[in-house]
Amino acid sequence: MSNDVIYLDCNATTPCDPRVVEAMLPSMTESFANPTTRNHRPGRDAATALERARATIDRLLGGRAASEVVFTAGATEANNLALIGAAEALADRGRHIISQVTEHASVLEPLAALKQRGWEITLVGVDGKGRVKLEDLEAALRDDTALVSLMLANNETGTIQPVTRASELAHARGALVHCDAAQAIGKLPVDVAALDVDLLSFSAHKFYGPKGVGALWIRHRRPPIRIASVIFGGGQESGLRSGTPNVPGAVGMARAMELAADEGEGERARVAAMRDRLEGSILGAVEESSRNGDVDNRLPNTTNLSFTEVEINALLVSLPDLAVNTGSACTSAHPEPSQVLRAMGVPAELAGSSLRLSLGRFTTEAEVDRAAARITEEVIRLRDMPTRMGRGSHRY
Ligand code: PMP
């Protein structure tokens, strides 16, 4: 990372890999034409670039047909299309949808909107590690359950959900399965066949691609999975996402996915080793610090730590040299204890003093050691302060 800030917020977003930028440039300067215009060569060239990107992404996800990939502006849009689109198209089967409590807002909010419109939503709880309670999910399934939506990995804790098992349960009752894989792609091998999901959402900027592009993968099968459109217009993307396609974005996302596949296990092991070193160093040096999440089932780049007797905003203010987060970046404007940690049974005080550290491809060992030293130093200093921010002060 340039300048003097150590960036440990890769679950919020990642920098574009220079190799991705390089791959995108021709589709901005040369193949810049509108890919829906097929009556001239530049248009056809742009369409070729778009379709190549679509085919690459489908292949790398383990899909069977390029047409399974619908480009969107990101995972938020893909989640909305999956949930609202499938709910509307499947209303004749039933108006019941199951998800779980630690989903991202881009799943929970469309579900809340559907509830307003008459759908019945069941949110299943999680255990102390953040894993969905499968027995509760199984018990919640009904004949009129149209859809089950389960994230692959949690943005705050990195906890990986048992998606394959949930798919098995849901399919046995005839429900479709949607998976928000926004935090998993690029950090874990993601294979739609192994997960056995019907719909999968993701965003390129979470894996060293550009912002403003993502996709909804829709399983190709007969009869086709029915999804209703939520954006109306020129009918692009098989009518599911009207609007001029973002060709550079799609090309960049495909390249980013190729790089993630190439870097593969080597990158995951290297990042996990640095994450473990960072975590071990802080937990070893700071008394009354604890780790949140599932050590055996979590993203290789993520750690989530809580410190008793520390006011988290004071800690962040005292660490201007680190880019770290208190939870999901999308909710960091709301200074409330993390709902994800609360759902896991973490006491409010600890949930309100949690730090999410998420490493990435460009993180160095020197940065990790510096970050561990700085966090340790500031937690101890804040605890030693006599009033306001220190022991015995008012917190949340
Ligand atoms: N799902 C999860 C789990 C996420 O972490 C995020 C991004 N914070 C999203 C969906 C939404 O992605 P985007 O903001 O790129 O639309």
Side-chain angles (χ1 to χ4, degrees):
M1 179 97 192
S2 60
N3 60 48
D4 47 4
V5 175
I6 297 174
Y7 187 81
L8 296 176
D9 202 12
C10 289
N11 286 7
T13 194
T14 55
C16 232
D17 190 302
R19 294 168 289 180
V20 169
V21 177
E22 196 187 332
M24 290 170 70
L25 286 175
S27 55
M28 288 190 262
T29 51
E30 293 159 28
S31 309
F32 64 87
N34 193 321
T36 34
T37 308
R38 303 290 170 95
N39 57 1
H40 51 61
R41 197 166 60 85
R44 288 192 294 275
D45 287 349
T48 301
L50 184 68
E51 295 316 316
R52 272 202 193 122
R54 200 187 305 280
T56 300
I57 291 167
D58 187 71
R59 178 176 53 80
L60 292 170
L61 289 174
R64 283 183 306 179
S67 59
E68 292 176 315
V69 177
V70 174
F71 289 114
T72 65
T76 297
E77 199 185 293
N79 285 340
N80 274 264
L81 176 59
L83 297 168
I84 296 178
E88 287 185 354
L90 298 170
D92 53 351
R93 174 182 157 84
R95 290 177 170 243
H96 179 231
I97 301 178
I98 302 174
S99 188
Q100 59 88 32
V101 286
T102 70
E103 292 290 320
H104 188 261
S106 58
V107 165
L108 294 175
E109 291 301 318
L111 291 179
L114 284 167
K115 191 173 176 188
Q116 292 286 320
R117 298 182 206 169
W119 268 266
E120 211 182 318
I121 311 295
T122 304
L123 293 182
V124 177
V126 295
D127 64 17
K129 296 173 172 181
R131 301 252 291 179
V132 65
K133 290 182 177 158
L134 281 172
E135 62 283 8
D136 291 0
L137 190 144
E138 186 171 16
L141 282 161
R142 314 189 313 215
D143 290 340
D144 66 341
T145 306
L147 189 68
V148 171
S149 182
L150 184 58
M151 69 192 338
L152 188 45
N154 185 268
N155 40 303
E156 293 189 37
T157 58
T159 294
I160 297 168
Q161 296 291 357
V163 172
T164 305
R165 181 72 189 120
S167 298
E168 208 179 308
L169 296 171
H171 286 151
R173 296 296 296 268
L176 285 183
V177 178
H178 165 249
C179 177
D180 175 0
Q183 289 295 345
I185 297 206
K187 302 181 185 120
L188 298 174
V190 174
D191 183 302
V192 287
L195 292 172
D196 197 22
V197 295
D198 304 295
L199 306 161
L200 187 99
S201 311
F202 47 96
S203 257
H205 72 96
K206 303 282 188 189
F207 54 97
Y208 312 97
K211 291 173 182 57
V213 66
L216 178 65
W217 179 90
I218 305 174
R219 178 177 296 288
H220 175 75
R221 57 153 222 216
R222 289 191 195 288
I225 291 173
R226 286 176 294 152
I227 304 279
S229 204
V230 297
I231 293 179
F232 299 91
Q236 289 91 342
E237 298 296 298
S238 315
L240 284 178
R241 206 287 187 166
S242 285
T244 301
N246 175 357
V247 182
V251 168
M253 182 159 69
R255 184 73 187 117
M257 226 180 240
E258 276 177 345
L259 292 173
D262 292 349
E263 302 282 349
E265 188 48 40
E267 177 169 298
R268 286 193 289 279
R270 187 170 52 78
V271 170
M274 284 193 291
R275 185 272 316 272
D276 292 347
R277 179 178 169 125
L278 172 69
E279 186 179 81
S281 164
I282 297 170
L283 290 175
V286 181
E287 279 173 30
E288 292 185 54
S289 56
S290 51
R291 178 170 53 192
N292 303 305
D294 186 346
V295 188
D296 302 317
N297 292 291
R298 63 174 170 164
L299 293 174
N301 77 317
T302 308
T303 179
N304 188 305
L305 303 173
S306 284
F307 306 101
T308 57
E309 311 282 344
V310 170
E311 211 276 321
I312 200 67
N313 286 328
L315 180 61
L316 291 185
V317 167
S318 69
L319 292 168
D321 46 341
L322 303 189
V324 294
N325 222 304
T326 54
S328 155
C330 319
T331 57
S332 59
H334 306 294
E336 284 165 9
S338 154
Q339 290 309 307
V340 169
L341 298 183
R342 293 293 288 131
M344 289 161 57
V346 176
E349 197 219 17
L350 284 178
S353 75
S354 79
L355 203 57
R356 176 187 75 180
L357 306 166
S358 48
L359 289 61
R361 180 174 293 164
F362 303 112
T363 307
T364 65
E365 268 188 28
E367 286 179 321
V368 159
D369 290 344
R370 173 87 189 132
R374 288 286 296 123
I375 292 167
T376 301
E377 180 178 273
E378 291 303 330
V379 169
I380 291 171
R381 189 182 64 81
L382 287 172
R383 280 181 179 164
D384 283 347
M385 282 175 74
T387 53
R388 287 179 60 85
M389 296 167 190
R391 258 170 216 282
S393 66
H394 174 74
R395 292 167 303 274
Y396 295 104

